[in-house]
Amino acid sequence: MAARCTETVLAALGLLSVCAASSSGSGTSGKAGGEAEWAEPWDGAVFRPPAALGAVGVARGLESLPPGSRDTVDLPVLLWWSPGLFPHFPGDSERIECTRGACVASRDRRARADPRTRALLFYGTDFRAADAPLPRLAHQSWALLHEESPLNNFLLSHGPGIRLFNLTATFSRHSDYPLPLQWLPGVAYLRRPAPPLRERAEWRRRGYAPLLYLQSHCDVPGDRDRYVRELMRYIPVDSYGKCLQNRQLPTMRLQDTATATTEDPELLTFLSRYKFHLALENAICNDYMTEKLWRPMHLGAVPVYRGSPSVRDWMPNNHSIILIDDFESPQKLAEFIDFLDKNDEEYMKYLAYKRPGGITNQFLLDSLEHREWGVNDPRLPNYLNGFECFVCDHELARLEAEKAHASSPGDIPVPKPHIAQPSHMNCPMPTPGFGKVEEIPENDSWKEMWLQDYWQGLYQGEALTAMIHNNETEQSKFWDYVHQIFMKRNKNR
């Protein structure tokens, strides 16, 4: 799974060749009401290979420089401990130029013990407490890039896990290098025209349901299939993919789950037939919003959404999605969808953001305008390179503060370490998609898997923290710590 997630990240950044779709229109994040003056370099292809590496300057590989070269000998080193995400191919080390100065980025783990190595960069999906690089060296920061949900690593959803890191880039707006809009390339993506209602009415007459569900990852912390199964009792749902499947996509190529996660033009044309898309994230975390939300909006469908509790903060206006949690039951939700399906005027209110001046959320517009990275924007770095420079600038500033303290220890205090906080992930314990947890049988696969993983993540974070505190380095002792913590907590419950 970790390898596949790494490929997904690289694809999202345009570093792998994947399918792309084009659409008409262009725009930028201007002020609300001023969309007619937009002009942005995005051409409608979301996940296409970008030109070079964005605006981050890359010089030459260290392997091409003589030992002790003045170009690199005094520069801090940033070591990518997750080498699969190293954004400077094909070499193992590169000099990078950032706002405060230069650093050396490397994926050569032999550099870990080098006193010049000031930061280790981890990809959260690959990070495992039992394999953490110990002993942790006092002069090194740990930096976390984790744009994914707890599905990939529950360790990071707990205080002891996230506080292992000094710097973070996550989906949370509260992280040090926030990535909440990682799946939204720009305002133009939202303004793509929706298919005419008469076309969708014709598709309905051919036997299509009003509501689409497309999922092939079936057992997830958000427990979405349980809710959809109940909803199907009250309204027709066309379910493609492997989860609750009752219909087949029209071609074998579209049935490939790899195609279903891309912006394939044939797939998008097919999906745009539906007026409503069930958009349920794989886990519930503040600011965690993926293509499941943004793609229906791109296509002019109304997302029926469950995911980020803070999703309203990011919507183009206050009337653009249907929130599942606003309804007391799946039956009530089904009745509301049926009402909108039969009332074109009410339905079209949910697509008002596609008209000029329809995007009224200034917070969304400002967030898109001022973020430090871009999605296929040649003016900006992708978020891999951007986070790398963010860490570089932090380490250069930390070095300056340390030198200032050393030169005047009586007047200038030792710089305090920056520590990540639980708000940088903000993912609570999983809850059932429908019903109460005590009503679910003990042998239920969701209950057995995700509730156990949630607590296991806490134990592992506490165990690694204990190992670091006690200066333990033997990995074989890690699971002994986990067992001790588990037994102690169970005894106190």
PDB file of all heavy atoms in Angstrom, residues 131-150:
ATOM      1  N   ASP A 131      10.275   1.206  12.940  1.00  0.00           N
ATOM      2  CA  ASP A 131      11.449   1.331  12.077  1.00  0.00           C
ATOM      3  C   ASP A 131      12.036   2.735  12.096  1.00  0.00           C
ATOM      4  O   ASP A 131      12.823   3.095  11.216  1.00  0.00           O
ATOM      5  CB  ASP A 131      11.077   0.972  10.628  1.00  0.00           C
ATOM      6  CG  ASP A 131      10.561  -0.451  10.509  1.00  0.00           C
ATOM      7  OD1 ASP A 131      11.157  -1.334  11.161  1.00  0.00           O
ATOM      8  OD2 ASP A 131       9.584  -0.680   9.776  1.00  0.00           O
ATOM      9  N   ALA A 132      11.667   3.540  13.074  1.00  0.00           N
ATOM     10  CA  ALA A 132      12.151   4.918  13.131  1.00  0.00           C
ATOM     11  C   ALA A 132      13.673   4.941  13.317  1.00  0.00           C
ATOM     12  O   ALA A 132      14.234   4.064  13.985  1.00  0.00           O
ATOM     13  CB  ALA A 132      11.477   5.659  14.267  1.00  0.00           C
ATOM     14  N   PRO A 133      14.351   5.918  12.735  1.00  0.00           N
ATOM     15  CA  PRO A 133      15.815   5.998  12.856  1.00  0.00           C
ATOM     16  C   PRO A 133      16.241   6.429  14.258  1.00  0.00           C
ATOM     17  O   PRO A 133      16.133   7.598  14.618  1.00  0.00           O
ATOM     18  CB  PRO A 133      16.197   7.043  11.797  1.00  0.00           C
ATOM     19  CG  PRO A 133      14.974   7.881  11.610  1.00  0.00           C
ATOM     20  CD  PRO A 133      13.812   6.972  11.852  1.00  0.00           C
ATOM     21  N   LEU A 134      16.683   5.479  15.042  1.00  0.00           N
ATOM     22  CA  LEU A 134      17.146   5.744  16.399  1.00  0.00           C
ATOM     23  C   LEU A 134      18.635   5.434  16.512  1.00  0.00           C
ATOM     24  O   LEU A 134      19.148   4.584  15.809  1.00  0.00           O
ATOM     25  CB  LEU A 134      16.359   4.886  17.398  1.00  0.00           C
ATOM     26  CG  LEU A 134      14.840   5.123  17.452  1.00  0.00           C
ATOM     27  CD1 LEU A 134      14.207   4.180  18.460  1.00  0.00           C
ATOM     28  CD2 LEU A 134      14.513   6.566  17.781  1.00  0.00           C
ATOM     29  N   PRO A 135      19.355   6.121  17.390  1.00  0.00           N
ATOM     30  CA  PRO A 135      18.857   7.168  18.287  1.00  0.00           C
ATOM     31  C   PRO A 135      18.513   8.448  17.522  1.00  0.00           C
ATOM     32  O   PRO A 135      19.107   8.726  16.480  1.00  0.00           O
ATOM     33  CB  PRO A 135      20.021   7.399  19.239  1.00  0.00           C
ATOM     34  CG  PRO A 135      21.232   7.059  18.421  1.00  0.00           C
ATOM     35  CD  PRO A 135      20.806   5.911  17.558  1.00  0.00           C
ATOM     36  N   ARG A 136      17.580   9.177  18.058  1.00  0.00           N
ATOM     37  CA  ARG A 136      17.240  10.466  17.453  1.00  0.00           C
ATOM     38  C   ARG A 136      18.314  11.471  17.833  1.00  0.00           C
ATOM     39  O   ARG A 136      18.583  11.678  19.018  1.00  0.00           O
ATOM     40  CB  ARG A 136      15.877  10.934  17.929  1.00  0.00           C
ATOM     41  CG  ARG A 136      15.479  12.261  17.318  1.00  0.00           C
ATOM     42  CD  ARG A 136      14.029  12.578  17.529  1.00  0.00           C
ATOM     43  NE  ARG A 136      13.697  13.865  16.918  1.00  0.00           N
ATOM     44  CZ  ARG A 136      12.474  14.322  16.794  1.00  0.00           C
ATOM     45  NH1 ARG A 136      11.460  13.600  17.244  1.00  0.00           N
ATOM     46  NH2 ARG A 136      12.249  15.497  16.228  1.00  0.00           N
ATOM     47  N   LEU A 137      18.901  12.106  16.837  1.00  0.00           N
ATOM     48  CA  LEU A 137      20.017  13.015  17.080  1.00  0.00           C
ATOM     49  C   LEU A 137      19.491  14.387  17.466  1.00  0.00           C
ATOM     50  O   LEU A 137      18.573  14.930  16.838  1.00  0.00           O
ATOM     51  CB  LEU A 137      20.903  13.102  15.834  1.00  0.00           C
ATOM     52  CG  LEU A 137      21.443  11.747  15.347  1.00  0.00           C
ATOM     53  CD1 LEU A 137      22.349  11.923  14.146  1.00  0.00           C
ATOM     54  CD2 LEU A 137      22.184  11.021  16.469  1.00  0.00           C
ATOM     55  N   ALA A 138      20.085  14.955  18.504  1.00  0.00           N
ATOM     56  CA  ALA A 138      19.549  16.173  19.124  1.00  0.00           C
ATOM     57  C   ALA A 138      19.556  17.365  18.177  1.00  0.00           C
ATOM     58  O   ALA A 138      18.715  18.259  18.298  1.00  0.00           O
ATOM     59  CB  ALA A 138      20.349  16.492  20.382  1.00  0.00           C
ATOM     60  N   HIS A 139      20.474  17.407  17.234  1.00  0.00           N
ATOM     61  CA  HIS A 139      20.588  18.594  16.381  1.00  0.00           C
ATOM     62  C   HIS A 139      19.682  18.515  15.149  1.00  0.00           C
ATOM     63  O   HIS A 139      19.628  19.458  14.354  1.00  0.00           O
ATOM     64  CB  HIS A 139      22.031  18.785  15.920  1.00  0.00           C
ATOM     65  CG  HIS A 139      22.511  17.767  14.937  1.00  0.00           C
ATOM     66  ND1 HIS A 139      22.834  16.479  15.309  1.00  0.00           N
ATOM     67  CD2 HIS A 139      22.705  17.841  13.591  1.00  0.00           C
ATOM     68  CE1 HIS A 139      23.223  15.807  14.241  1.00  0.00           C
ATOM     69  NE2 HIS A 139      23.159  16.609  13.181  1.00  0.00           N
ATOM     70  N   GLN A 140      18.927  17.404  15.002  1.00  0.00           N
ATOM     71  CA  GLN A 140      18.136  17.211  13.793  1.00  0.00           C
ATOM     72  C   GLN A 140      16.644  17.433  14.041  1.00  0.00           C
ATOM     73  O   GLN A 140      16.085  16.950  15.023  1.00  0.00           O
ATOM     74  CB  GLN A 140      18.351  15.799  13.237  1.00  0.00           C
ATOM     75  CG  GLN A 140      19.738  15.591  12.664  1.00  0.00           C
ATOM     76  CD  GLN A 140      19.977  14.171  12.180  1.00  0.00           C
ATOM     77  OE1 GLN A 140      19.163  13.270  12.438  1.00  0.00           O
ATOM     78  NE2 GLN A 140      21.083  13.951  11.494  1.00  0.00           N
ATOM     79  N   SER A 141      16.020  18.146  13.109  1.00  0.00           N
ATOM     80  CA  SER A 141      14.564  18.258  13.091  1.00  0.00           C
ATOM     81  C   SER A 141      13.985  17.064  12.334  1.00  0.00           C
ATOM     82  O   SER A 141      14.621  16.532  11.426  1.00  0.00           O
ATOM     83  CB  SER A 141      14.131  19.543  12.382  1.00  0.00           C
ATOM     84  OG  SER A 141      14.587  20.693  13.044  1.00  0.00           O
ATOM     85  N   TRP A 142      12.778  16.685  12.707  1.00  0.00           N
ATOM     86  CA  TRP A 142      12.022  15.703  11.930  1.00  0.00           C
ATOM     87  C   TRP A 142      10.871  16.440  11.260  1.00  0.00           C
ATOM     88  O   TRP A 142      10.093  17.140  11.931  1.00  0.00           O
ATOM     89  CB  TRP A 142      11.473  14.598  12.841  1.00  0.00           C
ATOM     90  CG  TRP A 142      12.494  13.555  13.202  1.00  0.00           C
ATOM     91  CD1 TRP A 142      13.843  13.636  13.052  1.00  0.00           C
ATOM     92  CD2 TRP A 142      12.227  12.272  13.794  1.00  0.00           C
ATOM     93  NE1 TRP A 142      14.449  12.486  13.511  1.00  0.00           N
ATOM     94  CE2 TRP A 142      13.472  11.622  13.968  1.00  0.00           C
ATOM     95  CE3 TRP A 142      11.074  11.616  14.188  1.00  0.00           C
ATOM     96  CZ2 TRP A 142      13.587  10.358  14.520  1.00  0.00           C
ATOM     97  CZ3 TRP A 142      11.183  10.349  14.743  1.00  0.00           C
ATOM     98  CH2 TRP A 142      12.430   9.720  14.904  1.00  0.00           C
ATOM     99  N   ALA A 143      10.771  16.297   9.948  1.00  0.00           N
ATOM    100  CA  ALA A 143       9.742  16.991   9.171  1.00  0.00           C
ATOM    101  C   ALA A 143       8.831  15.956   8.523  1.00  0.00           C
ATOM    102  O   ALA A 143       9.309  14.995   7.914  1.00  0.00           O
ATOM    103  CB  ALA A 143      10.396  17.879   8.109  1.00  0.00           C
ATOM    104  N   LEU A 144       7.533  16.161   8.642  1.00  0.00           N
ATOM    105  CA  LEU A 144       6.532  15.200   8.163  1.00  0.00           C
ATOM    106  C   LEU A 144       5.744  15.772   7.001  1.00  0.00           C
ATOM    107  O   LEU A 144       5.162  16.857   7.106  1.00  0.00           O
ATOM    108  CB  LEU A 144       5.564  14.859   9.301  1.00  0.00           C
ATOM    109  CG  LEU A 144       4.348  14.002   8.921  1.00  0.00           C
ATOM    110  CD1 LEU A 144       4.774  12.566   8.608  1.00  0.00           C
ATOM    111  CD2 LEU A 144       3.298  14.026  10.028  1.00  0.00           C
ATOM    112  N   LEU A 145       5.720  15.048   5.895  1.00  0.00           N
ATOM    113  CA  LEU A 145       4.799  15.328   4.788  1.00  0.00           C
ATOM    114  C   LEU A 145       3.753  14.220   4.781  1.00  0.00           C
ATOM    115  O   LEU A 145       4.086  13.048   4.609  1.00  0.00           O
ATOM    116  CB  LEU A 145       5.552  15.349   3.453  1.00  0.00           C
ATOM    117  CG  LEU A 145       4.668  15.450   2.204  1.00  0.00           C
ATOM    118  CD1 LEU A 145       4.004  16.813   2.126  1.00  0.00           C
ATOM    119  CD2 LEU A 145       5.460  15.178   0.937  1.00  0.00           C
ATOM    120  N   HIS A 146       2.493  14.603   5.002  1.00  0.00           N
ATOM    121  CA  HIS A 146       1.453  13.573   5.054  1.00  0.00           C
ATOM    122  C   HIS A 146       0.145  14.192   4.614  1.00  0.00           C
ATOM    123  O   HIS A 146      -0.609  14.750   5.413  1.00  0.00           O
ATOM    124  CB  HIS A 146       1.331  13.011   6.469  1.00  0.00           C
ATOM    125  CG  HIS A 146       0.472  11.780   6.549  1.00  0.00           C
ATOM    126  ND1 HIS A 146       0.646  10.701   5.709  1.00  0.00           N
ATOM    127  CD2 HIS A 146      -0.572  11.457   7.345  1.00  0.00           C
ATOM    128  CE1 HIS A 146      -0.250   9.765   6.002  1.00  0.00           C
ATOM    129  NE2 HIS A 146      -1.003  10.205   6.978  1.00  0.00           N
ATOM    130  N   GLU A 147      -0.137  14.092   3.322  1.00  0.00           N
ATOM    131  CA  GLU A 147      -1.354  14.666   2.776  1.00  0.00           C
ATOM    132  C   GLU A 147      -2.519  13.696   2.863  1.00  0.00           C
ATOM    133  O   GLU A 147      -3.657  14.038   2.539  1.00  0.00           O
ATOM    134  CB  GLU A 147      -1.114  15.106   1.328  1.00  0.00           C
ATOM    135  CG  GLU A 147      -1.331  14.065   0.253  1.00  0.00           C
ATOM    136  CD  GLU A 147      -0.456  12.814   0.353  1.00  0.00           C
ATOM    137  OE1 GLU A 147       0.434  12.723   1.208  1.00  0.00           O
ATOM    138  OE2 GLU A 147      -0.688  11.901  -0.435  1.00  0.00           O
ATOM    139  N   GLU A 148      -2.274  12.464   3.337  1.00  0.00           N
ATOM    140  CA  GLU A 148      -3.291  11.430   3.389  1.00  0.00           C
ATOM    141  C   GLU A 148      -3.992  11.392   4.746  1.00  0.00           C
ATOM    142  O   GLU A 148      -3.600  12.065   5.694  1.00  0.00           O
ATOM    143  CB  GLU A 148      -2.674  10.064   3.076  1.00  0.00           C
ATOM    144  CG  GLU A 148      -2.603   9.750   1.585  1.00  0.00           C
ATOM    145  CD  GLU A 148      -3.983   9.471   0.991  1.00  0.00           C
ATOM    146  OE1 GLU A 148      -4.977   9.464   1.742  1.00  0.00           O
ATOM    147  OE2 GLU A 148      -4.055   9.272  -0.220  1.00  0.00           O
ATOM    148  N   SER A 149      -5.012  10.548   4.823  1.00  0.00           N
ATOM    149  CA  SER A 149      -5.838  10.417   6.025  1.00  0.00           C
ATOM    150  C   SER A 149      -5.289   9.324   6.936  1.00  0.00           C
ATOM    151  O   SER A 149      -4.319   8.638   6.583  1.00  0.00           O
ATOM    152  CB  SER A 149      -7.274  10.058   5.617  1.00  0.00           C
ATOM    153  OG  SER A 149      -7.350   8.684   5.272  1.00  0.00           O
ATOM    154  N   PRO A 150      -5.906   9.080   8.102  1.00  0.00           N
ATOM    155  CA  PRO A 150      -5.449   8.005   8.996  1.00  0.00           C
ATOM    156  C   PRO A 150      -5.543   6.615   8.388  1.00  0.00           C
ATOM    157  O   PRO A 150      -4.995   5.663   8.957  1.00  0.00           O
ATOM    158  CB  PRO A 150      -6.378   8.126  10.201  1.00  0.00           C
ATOM    159  CG  PRO A 150      -6.898   9.500  10.153  1.00  0.00           C
ATOM    160  CD  PRO A 150      -6.970   9.871   8.714  1.00  0.00           C
TER     161      PRO A 150
END
